[in-house]
Amino acid sequence: MTVSDLQARTSELTGVIERASSTQELEEFKLAHLVRKGSIAALFEDLKNVPKDTKPAVGKALNELRKAVEEKFAEKEQSLGGGVKKASQSSIDLTLPSRPIPVSAPGHEHPLISVLNEMVSIFVDMGFSVAYGPEVEDDEHNFTKLNFPADHPARDMQDTFFVKPSADWKVGSDVKPLVLRTHTSPVQVRLMESGKLPIRAVIPGRVYRNEAISARSAACFFQLEGLVVDKGVSMADLKGVAESFSKQFYGEDSTIRLRPSFFPFTEPSIECDVSCYICKGKGCRICKHSGWLEVFGAGMVHPNVLKMCGIDPEIYSGYAFGMGIDRTAMMRYGVSDIRLFTENDLRFLEQF
Ligand code: PHE
């Protein structure tokens, strides 16, 4: 094998390619010359028999041969349309539309928001308006004006998240720290302070408590508060609204029961339960075999609270209630761990 042999061979092979008139012929050429067991590979194999002194020149000529043949082949393949054929034979189909980006369905509601909205719309149908308030509150609205005594345990660091009112604030300073609201009740105070009476409002929103996080309790959850203040409002009105809400939300056949309770800002205070909608009061795992589900805390607005908000308790009276949304949503959808609501796992969220 000499340099001139290889040059002759180069023009011979490129000539064959040149004359090919179909992709079929090109394919045959490839199988004969370009594959691993083809004639060009055989020439490389022969290189070891070439005398040492001519080897560099012969090797160079052989590389040039291969390059020239491959280039000619690619060029011919293009001109015969083989290039397109090659693309369609490859495992990537460039004509396929791309896969959809996995997002929750557009406008998809979070299960907590669905439950909250459903509750709100029941109250709106009963003539309530919807009000909102800040999540970072001052002590006055979250506690003081709701008649919490100065030494109430809710004011303890163990129960409440405090927020420094300024960067240089220190514990023990005269200025009270701000809080992440521990309930939606401070918005009651804001509504009453505004002086626009009568009031008939529900207040949905997030609240925060310094809880040990578990399957049943989160440090941040949703509440729905209600407040009605007018002349001649009584516990009978509260009971009527509670009953109507329960029938609409838990089913026509549900019944309620009221138990005495305690909140600093209501007097008297009650706890309202609804008959378990799963077992219809017979007792099951969801209602812990009691036949009843706790729905909300409520009561008549304490005269001290009305006074502190500038409302004369001799003329006006009111009731308030507050319910947790997360546990209601857990029961409704059979969710066993409250943390699933906020972990943003699409496998969970897409089930709703
Ligand atoms: N704020 C109370 C709580 O978070 C609930 C409540 C609201 C009770 C209104 C009575 C009246 O537990």
Side-chain angles (χ1 to χ4, degrees):
M1 182 163 54
T2 64
V3 170
S4 62
D5 284 349
L6 289 173
Q7 281 164 349
R9 183 77 178 138
T10 303
S11 34
E12 190 189 324
L13 289 173
T14 52
V16 175
I17 296 170
E18 190 59 61
R19 287 187 299 276
S21 57
S22 67
T23 50
Q24 170 76 31
E25 274 175 66
L26 263 193
E27 194 60 27
E28 280 164 14
F29 179 91
K30 184 177 172 181
L31 289 174
H33 307 286
L34 289 173
V35 293
R36 204 157 51 83
K37 292 222 163 82
S39 72
I40 295 176
L43 290 174
F44 274 95
E45 194 59 29
D46 267 356
L47 204 54
K48 61 175 178 284
N49 305 323
V50 173
K52 252 205 173 104
D53 54 338
T54 59
K55 209 176 215 167
V58 173
K60 186 162 172 269
L62 187 50
N63 275 323
E64 280 164 4
L65 174 145
R66 183 173 60 182
K67 190 159 173 271
V69 171
E70 279 176 355
E71 275 172 11
K72 191 84 196 163
F73 186 88
E75 199 181 285
K76 190 73 177 183
E77 200 174 39
Q78 274 286 319
S79 71
L80 286 177
V84 175
K85 184 171 164 234
K86 194 172 171 198
S88 67
Q89 277 172 342
S90 97
S91 59
I92 301 165
D93 182 350
L94 299 174
T95 66
L96 269 182
S98 57
R99 289 204 182 91
I101 295 165
V103 285
S104 261
H108 187 103
E109 253 177 7
H110 189 280
L112 289 176
I113 299 300
S114 307
V115 168
L116 195 55
N117 285 346
E118 192 180 322
M119 289 178 168
V120 167
S121 74
I122 290 172
F123 286 105
V124 166
D125 286 349
M126 290 196 270
F128 285 72
S129 55
V130 184
Y132 300 91
E135 291 181 17
V136 179
E137 261 297 1
D138 51 33
D139 178 275
E140 184 176 296
H141 289 89
N142 198 77
F143 297 127
T144 307
K145 285 190 165 175
L146 286 166
N147 205 31
F148 279 78
D151 56 356
H152 192 281
R155 293 176 178 243
D156 201 277
M157 301 258 275
Q158 259 78 57
D159 297 283
T160 302
F161 290 115
F162 289 95
V163 179
K164 280 185 177 181
S166 62
D168 53 2
W169 184 88
K170 294 265 172 335
V171 176
S173 128
D174 286 345
V175 182
K176 288 212 170 86
L178 298 170
V179 300
L180 294 185
R181 66 179 180 193
T182 57
H183 49 179
T184 39
S185 302
V187 191
Q188 282 188 36
V189 175
R190 290 182 178 276
L191 288 175
M192 289 188 274
E193 278 177 337
S194 77
K196 288 188 213 108
L197 295 171
I199 300 165
R200 198 176 174 81
V202 283
I203 304 138
R206 271 197 185 103
V207 303
Y208 301 83
R209 291 197 194 161
N210 197 353
E211 302 259 6
I213 294 163
S214 71
R216 300 269 312 152
S217 56
C220 170
F221 53 97
F222 281 92
Q223 280 191 339
L224 181 66
E225 186 92 8
L227 175 69
V228 173
V229 179
D230 203 349
K231 289 175 184 159
V233 175
S234 75
M235 192 71 123
D237 298 307
L238 168 58
K239 191 178 172 199
V241 164
E243 204 149 51
S244 175
F245 169 77
S246 299
K247 290 202 184 304
Q248 291 180 70
F249 189 80
Y250 290 101
E252 223 7 79
D253 54 353
S254 67
T255 52
I256 59 163
R257 81 174 176 188
L258 307 182
R259 289 180 287 124
S261 184
F262 176 80
F263 301 100
F265 41 94
T266 47
E267 179 58 33
S269 302
I270 57 162
E271 210 61 64
C272 176
D273 298 338
V274 65
S275 52
C276 178
Y277 62 93
I278 310 254
C279 63
K280 308 285 176 214
K282 286 197 216 52
C284 68
R285 204 174 52 84
I286 300 293
C287 61
K288 300 203 199 85
H289 305 282
S290 69
W292 296 95
L293 303 169
E294 275 179 34
V295 177
F296 55 76
M300 300 306 293
V301 181
H302 198 296
N304 288 350
V305 173
L306 291 171
K307 265 189 251 165
M308 282 186 276
C309 296
I311 296 172
D312 185 349
E314 299 296 330
I315 304 174
Y316 286 96
S317 58
Y319 66 80
F321 56 84
M323 54 185 117
I325 307 305
D326 302 55
R327 300 236 173 107
T328 310
M330 286 170 80
M331 286 190 290
R332 161 160 295 193
Y333 298 119
V335 174
S336 57
D337 193 322
I338 198 169
R339 293 168 289 198
L340 288 166
F341 287 130
T342 45
E343 279 171 354
N344 275 346
D345 187 334
L346 284 178
R347 292 168 301 178
F348 172 77
L349 293 173
E350 279 176 345
Q351 297 175 56
F352 301 95

